Amino acid sequence: EAGVAQSPRYKIIEKRQSVAFWCNPISGHATLYWYQQILGQGPKLLIQFQNNGVVDDSQLPKDRFSAERLKGVDSTLKIQPAKLEDSAVYLCASSLDLGARETQYFGPGTRLLVL
Amino acid sequence: KNEVEQSPQNLTAQEGEFITINCSYSVGISALHWLQQHPGGGIVSLFMLSSGKKKHGRLIATINIQEKHSSLHITASHPRDSAVYICAVRFQTSGSRLTFGEGTQLTVNP
C-alpha cells in the first residue's frame, strides 16, 4: 500500500515570496491533516479536512496561509507571502476517518527554509 | 488549558539499556499516541492507547488514566532506536485534533 506522498521534499525561498506544497493521502482516507513542525518542537495542526470540507482551521494563520482539497483527495497548502518564521517542516497526514482512535499516517514532510 | 509534557527532552543511553520516556497531560483524553520520528522528518505511529498496556517487540507503552500519565519503554535498546519519540493526545474537548508533546530525542550509542 502506498503511503502519504508529499512534494517537494525541500524548498528554499526568500521572504515575501510564495510557496505551495502538495500532498496525496493514502487511497481511501477521508481525513487529511497539515501540520507545521518548527525545529525542536512537536507538530502543530494547521488545518484538517474531512473529504473536501474543513473540519478545523483554528490554528491556520489565514492572513498568509491557505489550503484546499477540492476533490476530496489530494491537497495543496500555500504560503503567501512567506516570513522568516515560516521556516519549518510541513507534514501531511491522513487517516481513514475522523474517529478519536484512528491512526494517522504521516508523509515524509516538506522542509521549508525562508531566507 | 490542554497541554502535553514529555520528559526527558534528551536521553543518551548505551546499547542494551532499558529506556523510559514519560508523557503527562493536563485534562481528560480519548486517546494517546506514541510516535517515532527519524532524521529527515518521517513519522511512524507506534501505539495508540486509551487504557492499560500494549507491547510490540521491544517496545512497551503504558497509560494511567487516573494519573494522566503514559510511559514508553524500550527494552534492550539498540542504536537503530535512535530517533525522536513524540507523545500526542486527543483531548476529550478537542474533537479529533491531536496535541503533540515536544518530543524526546533518544540517542543510543553502540
Side-chain angles (χ1 to χ4, degrees):
Chain A
E1 178 185 84
V4 177
Q6 289 188 248
S7 67
R9 291 296 310 276
Y10 303 92
K11 190 75 177 178
I12 301 174
I13 61 172
E14 294 185 345
K15 61 183 179 183
R16 291 187 288 273
Q17 285 188 322
S18 302
V19 65
F21 313 128
W22 175 82
C23 172
N24 192 16
I26 292 173
S27 177
H29 281 197
T31 312
L32 185 147
Y33 312 79
W34 281 104
Y35 292 95
Q36 180 193 59
Q37 186 177 23
I38 292 171
L39 188 64
Q41 299 181 15
K44 182 185 86 170
L45 179 70
L46 292 175
I47 189 166
Q48 178 182 341
F49 292 94
Q50 179 70 1
N51 296 310
N52 61 351
V54 175
V55 173
D56 184 349
D57 64 356
S58 57
Q59 299 184 110
L60 185 74
K62 297 181 186 62
D63 57 333
R64 297 184 301 106
F65 286 65
S66 64
E68 58 184 18
R69 194 185 184 200
L70 292 175
K71 296 181 180 178
V73 181
D74 57 348
S75 175
T76 55
L77 175 71
K78 296 179 182 177
I79 308 175
Q80 182 179 356
K83 293 185 175 181
L84 297 177
E85 59 261 35
D86 298 331
S87 295
V89 176
Y90 291 84
L91 295 162
C92 179
S94 70
S95 61
L96 265 176
D97 211 330
L98 271 177
R101 299 180 185 187
E102 289 288 344
T103 296
Q104 292 187 23
Y105 297 85
F106 287 81
T110 295
R111 196 172 297 269
L112 174 67
L113 178 61
V114 182
L115 302 175
Chain B
K1 186 177 176 184
N2 294 348
E3 292 181 335
V4 180
E5 290 190 0
Q6 285 187 238
S7 64
Q9 282 189 321
N10 294 282
L11 181 56
T12 301
Q14 288 300 120
E15 184 173 357
E17 286 185 1
F18 180 85
I19 287 162
T20 297
I21 300 170
N22 297 299
C23 176
S24 298
Y25 49 91
S26 53
V27 295
I29 64 170
S30 53
L32 181 145
H33 299 253
W34 281 103
L35 310 166
Q36 181 191 57
Q37 185 171 30
H38 279 285
I43 293 179
V44 174
S45 179
L46 298 175
F47 296 104
M48 191 282 293
L49 295 163
S50 55
S51 65
K53 175 180 174 178
K54 286 190 176 179
K55 184 176 189 292
H56 182 72
R58 295 180 294 105
L59 300 178
I60 304 166
T62 64
I63 188 168
N64 185 318
I65 297 296
Q66 287 73 31
E67 294 187 2
K68 298 185 177 58
H69 180 269
S70 175
S71 293
L72 176 68
H73 306 284
I74 305 175
T75 61
S77 59
H78 190 277
R80 64 175 174 267
D81 297 326
S82 298
V84 175
Y85 292 85
I86 302 173
C87 171
V89 304
R90 276 201 170 93
F91 290 107
Q92 290 170 348
T93 54
S94 296
S96 56
R97 183 196 302 177
L98 278 178
T99 301
F100 293 77
E102 295 200 340
T104 295
Q105 172 68 63
L106 171 65
T107 303
V108 182
N109 294 318

